[in-house]
Amino acid sequence: MKRIGEFTVEFENKPAIISSGCIVGKKESEGPLKNDFDEFKTDSLFGQDTFEQAESFLQKRAFEIALNKAGLQNENIDLIFAGDLLNQCIGSSFGLKENNIPFVGLYGACSTMALSLIMASMSVSSGFAKTAAAVTSSHFCSAERQYRFPLEYGGQRTPNSQWTVTGSGAAIIGTAQNKPKIHRVCVGKIIDLDIKDANNMGAAMAPAAYDTIKNFLKDTETSPSDYDAIFTGDLGLVGSRLLHQLLLRDGIDIVPYHNDCGLMIFDRNSQDVHAGGSGCGCCASVLCGHILKRVESRELKRILVCATGALLSPTSSLQGQAIPAIAHIVEICI
Amino acid sequence: MKRIGEFTVEFENKPAIISSGCIVGKKESEGPLKNDFDEFKTDSLFGQDTFEQAESFLQKRAFEIALNKAGLQNENIDLIFAGDLLNQCIGSSFGLKENNIPFVGLYGACSTMALSLIMASMSVSSGFAKTAAAVTSSHFCSAERQYRFPLEYGGQRTPNSQWTVTGSGAAIIGTAQNKPKIHRVCVGKIIDLDIKDANNMGAAMAPAAYDTIKNFLKDTETSPSDYDAIFTGDLGLVGSRLLHQLLLRDGIDIVPYHNDCGLMIFDRNSQDVHAGGSGCGCCASVLCGHILKRVESRELKRILVCATGALLSPTSSLQGQAIPAIAHIVEICI
């Protein structure tokens, strides 16, 4: 692999996305992308005892689906990169502990799908692993009660707030012909513009997306029109508009090419999700369900996926701290 | 790099530990390794407003010390790998947000020093980064109140419990002559033998250390006597004894070569730490303070560092779940 410009890395030996799998909850299965998900369940506990265990189940199942599609077994995977939003990332550790695969825990908040793809691609391209997996998840109920209020409280949500997606996505990275390839990637820096409203993640994360997209386009000497589409992870309506404005100040217009997984997964008019979907599982299920299918069919031949994450905790917010954010880019081609 | 056996990777292009830095708290500065740490403070808030911000300060400072020793600036570091025990890893994200360096958040609990070294080594050896950093921390006060009880509660601790180290360690990985090199590494699997006592982390983590050490020795066709020393991260007294027993059942005797950072950092007779030290900062400060100095002086020429982590959360424990654990190995030579 070789470094391009200041922040971007190009894989000369391009890792392939051999397969992907995803599973979502009831609300996601009623949204505009309902036909793209591999599985859904209407039971928000997914047959488990607690919402945290339900989230672990999501990761376990998404990974299983991806493995099955690739015709692989656990022993064919050298390394799993996984993370989630729960304290101590128990969605991942409990979800994937029975697979008996060397495990790298990541914490990138909602940027985890891109981060895990970057790390898995680095490991495969370098020979550290022959085949690796990238997995992440979120669950509305486990996130809501951990980050905000008890579910039973039923508090009113602010207009800027987003709805945490219940879902998981998993991708298997390895060597294959005629499969989507990871071409270039860019690991983001932590950006903190002193946004303190924990109900407005879009505003906190947009500057991070701006920074990484700007750096990537500069490093690669490309412009938005070089890509069939540019997807962000979960900026929602507020964050997407801010991102457009920030980039336009620099003369970069991504609007004709941009869509946000948080705006794609729900119908904002009928599904009461306010500014859109969010959570690690948002980018994960939309990428592994909807987007990669369109790359495989060659409807999209060159895309950017820029997943954003807000690196706050309830404790940091209660202590009056601002919300640091991060965004990572993966360029996928076929 | 090339894969050896089932789980181990050997770096042909061996990354060097260019420099390291560490900072600890008062109790650690009064222990047997007091002369090995770069800095300590007697104020447990380290001049900050909260214990969480104090932990962020530890990471910021340890990284700064390592940078200074290497004569490098922030812009010379392509990638930081960091994580900690706090919910959403805010020790790392808040501690390193001002450095303006591409950031990969990890969650490996107390195994993070080894995990971040492995990831940084992979990135440098593959050319993904020219120079990378591995950073982690823990703080007694932030950990105690997050995982156990309010500090003011002053509850009695069980004999098996360990004392979370207040400290941070940072290592800069790159290319250099005459510096310790990362030779072989092994990413561990999640091991869960159904230990449910959250006051006995040693027992939960020992089987993970056993699994990774056994796999590494098998893959490399080496035995404990091939190493000048084998260090575990924070098994403490209970976990160390269990590890010895588990390995002895397979005819592997590490006792003459083994020491545990959790047993080295405190004097168990006089410092009231029960089964020893623990936390991400335990392995980090002992490695970056004490051990690497002895490698640089050639007192130790070939060592294994096996950092262990317990991947539980207070929520998973309250829900009656067992404690999954993990251990990663880094072989360091000079």
Side-chain angles (χ1 to χ4, degrees):
Chain A
M1 56 200 81
K2 69 167 189 253
R3 294 187 64 84
I4 310 174
E6 205 172 349
F7 301 107
T8 304
V9 173
E10 179 176 331
F11 295 112
E12 284 150 318
N13 181 10
K14 296 188 199 324
I17 304 176
I18 302 180
S19 71
S20 65
C22 65
I23 175 169
V24 297
K26 179 168 180 286
K27 193 179 187 84
E28 294 71 22
S29 77
E30 295 165 349
L33 308 183
K34 56 187 169 194
N35 297 324
D36 287 328
F37 302 121
D38 295 314
E39 273 183 23
F40 73 93
K41 281 204 170 26
T42 53
D43 164 23
S44 59
L45 281 168
F46 290 81
Q48 309 297 307
D49 291 334
T50 69
F51 293 125
E52 288 73 20
Q53 287 164 38
E55 184 165 345
S56 292
F57 171 82
L58 290 176
Q59 289 212 16
K60 183 185 169 72
R61 186 63 192 139
F63 177 60
E64 203 167 54
I65 295 168
L67 266 189
N68 289 344
K69 282 194 199 170
L72 295 174
Q73 311 289 326
N74 284 323
E75 48 270 33
N76 301 125
I77 310 296
D78 293 325
L79 217 47
I80 291 190
F81 294 87
D84 57 89
L85 290 168
L86 296 181
N87 294 343
Q88 287 71 56
C89 299
I90 53 171
S92 307
S93 52
F94 283 83
L96 302 168
K97 69 180 182 176
E98 281 156 20
N99 295 84
N100 216 24
I101 298 171
F103 177 88
V104 177
L106 296 175
Y107 186 74
C110 307
S111 74
T112 304
M113 193 68 230
L115 184 62
S116 58
L117 280 174
I118 293 173
M119 292 294 117
S121 299
M122 189 209 308
S123 71
V124 166
S125 180
S126 67
F128 194 99
K130 193 159 169 290
T131 310
V135 192
T136 186
S137 65
S138 54
H139 192 302
F140 175 80
C141 301
S142 61
E144 196 66 15
R145 72 181 182 179
Q146 177 182 282
Y147 282 101
R148 296 175 192 96
F149 299 108
L151 289 166
E152 298 80 356
Y153 179 72
Q156 194 165 8
R157 302 166 65 242
T158 67
N160 292 339
S161 69
Q162 297 175 234
W163 188 278
T164 305
V165 164
T166 298
S168 173
I172 312 283
I173 308 298
T175 312
Q177 298 294 319
N178 298 317
K179 288 285 180 183
K181 301 281 196 305
I182 309 282
H183 183 204
R184 296 179 284 207
V185 299
C186 187
V187 176
K189 296 171 282 172
I190 302 174
I191 306 291
D192 182 352
L193 295 195
D194 209 31
I195 304 287
K196 291 188 173 172
D197 179 358
N199 289 308
N200 192 353
M201 294 297 178
M205 298 190 297
Y210 159 71
D211 188 71
T212 308
I213 291 173
K214 188 190 59 175
N215 290 334
F216 180 86
L217 294 177
K218 185 179 170 211
D219 286 348
T220 56
E221 296 175 8
T222 58
S223 65
S225 61
D226 291 317
Y227 304 94
D228 296 334
I230 298 172
F231 297 100
T232 46
D234 61 349
L235 289 177
L237 189 68
V238 178
S240 292
R241 284 183 179 163
L242 286 171
L243 174 63
H244 298 166
Q245 287 169 25
L246 287 166
L247 285 167
L248 272 175
R249 289 195 316 189
D250 292 348
I252 301 169
D253 182 9
I254 63 163
V255 178
Y257 313 97
H258 176 242
N259 210 340
D260 181 72
C261 299
L263 292 173
M264 297 160 73
I265 194 165
F266 295 124
D267 178 350
R268 288 182 53 256
N269 293 318
S270 66
Q271 290 193 290
D272 190 30
V273 295
H274 295 29
S278 67
C280 304
C282 179
C283 181
S285 59
V286 174
L287 176 67
C288 296
H290 177 80
I291 298 173
L292 285 177
K293 284 195 176 67
R294 275 142 195 87
V295 177
E296 291 223 27
S297 72
R298 267 105 177 140
E299 183 184 331
L300 300 170
K301 290 188 178 163
R302 176 179 298 270
I303 62 166
L304 299 184
V305 177
C306 176
T308 50
L311 303 172
L312 82 169
S313 83
T315 304
S316 67
S317 286
L318 289 170
Q319 291 178 355
Q321 302 278 296
I323 305 170
I326 200 160
H328 308 293
I329 285 183
V330 180
E331 180 186 352
I332 302 174
C333 305
I334 195 157
Chain B
M1 56 199 83
K2 69 168 191 248
R3 293 187 64 84
I4 311 174
E6 205 173 348
F7 300 107
T8 303
V9 173
E10 179 176 330
F11 295 112
E12 285 151 317
N13 180 10
K14 295 188 198 325
I17 304 176
I18 302 181
S19 71
S20 65
C22 65
I23 175 168
V24 296
K26 179 168 181 284
K27 194 179 186 85
E28 293 71 20
S29 77
E30 294 165 349
L33 308 184
K34 56 186 169 193
N35 296 323
D36 287 328
F37 302 121
D38 294 314
E39 274 183 21
F40 72 92
K41 283 204 171 21
T42 53
D43 165 23
S44 58
L45 281 168
F46 291 82
Q48 308 298 308
D49 290 335
T50 69
F51 294 126
E52 288 73 19
Q53 288 164 37
E55 184 166 345
S56 292
F57 171 82
L58 290 175
Q59 289 211 17
K60 182 186 170 71
R61 186 63 193 139
F63 177 60
E64 203 168 54
I65 295 168
L67 266 189
N68 289 345
K69 281 194 199 169
L72 295 174
Q73 311 289 325
N74 284 322
E75 48 270 32
N76 301 125
I77 309 296
D78 293 325
L79 218 47
I80 291 190
F81 294 87
D84 57 88
L85 290 168
L86 296 182
N87 294 343
Q88 287 71 54
C89 299
I90 53 170
S92 307
S93 52
F94 283 83
L96 302 168
K97 70 179 181 176
E98 280 155 21
N99 295 85
N100 216 24
I101 298 170
F103 177 88
V104 177
L106 297 174
Y107 186 74
C110 306
S111 73
T112 305
M113 192 69 233
L115 184 61
S116 57
L117 280 174
I118 293 173
M119 292 295 117
S121 299
M122 188 210 306
S123 72
V124 166
S125 181
S126 67
F128 193 99
K130 193 160 169 288
T131 309
V135 192
T136 186
S137 64
S138 53
H139 191 303
F140 175 80
C141 301
S142 60
E144 196 66 15
R145 72 180 183 179
Q146 177 182 283
Y147 281 101
R148 296 176 191 97
F149 300 107
L151 288 166
E152 297 79 358
Y153 180 72
Q156 195 165 8
R157 303 166 64 240
T158 68
N160 292 339
S161 69
Q162 297 174 235
W163 188 278
T164 304
V165 164
T166 298
S168 173
I172 312 282
I173 308 299
T175 313
Q177 299 293 320
N178 299 316
K179 288 286 181 182
K181 301 282 195 307
I182 310 281
H183 183 205
R184 296 178 285 206
V185 298
C186 188
V187 176
K189 297 171 281 172
I190 302 174
I191 305 291
D192 181 352
L193 294 195
D194 209 31
I195 304 286
K196 291 187 175 174
D197 179 359
N199 288 308
N200 193 352
M201 294 295 176
M205 298 191 296
Y210 159 72
D211 188 71
T212 308
I213 291 173
K214 187 189 61 175
N215 290 335
F216 180 86
L217 294 176
K218 185 179 170 210
D219 286 347
T220 57
E221 296 175 9
T222 59
S223 65
S225 61
D226 291 317
Y227 303 93
D228 296 334
I230 298 172
F231 297 100
T232 45
D234 60 348
L235 289 177
L237 190 67
V238 178
S240 292
R241 284 183 180 161
L242 286 170
L243 172 64
H244 298 166
Q245 287 169 24
L246 288 166
L247 285 167
L248 273 174
R249 289 194 317 189
D250 292 348
I252 301 169
D253 183 8
I254 63 162
V255 179
Y257 312 97
H258 177 243
N259 210 340
D260 181 73
C261 300
L263 291 173
M264 296 160 73
I265 194 165
F266 295 124
D267 178 349
R268 288 182 53 257
N269 293 319
S270 65
Q271 290 193 289
D272 190 30
V273 295
H274 296 30
S278 66
C280 304
C282 179
C283 182
S285 59
V286 174
L287 176 66
C288 297
H290 177 80
I291 298 172
L292 285 177
K293 284 196 175 67
R294 274 142 195 85
V295 178
E296 291 223 27
S297 73
R298 268 105 178 140
E299 183 183 330
L300 300 170
K301 290 188 178 164
R302 177 179 298 270
I303 62 167
L304 298 183
V305 177
C306 176
T308 50
L311 303 173
L312 81 167
S313 83
T315 304
S316 67
S317 286
L318 289 169
Q319 292 178 354
Q321 302 279 297
I323 304 171
I326 199 159
H328 308 294
I329 285 183
V330 179
E331 179 185 352
I332 301 173
C333 304
I334 196 158

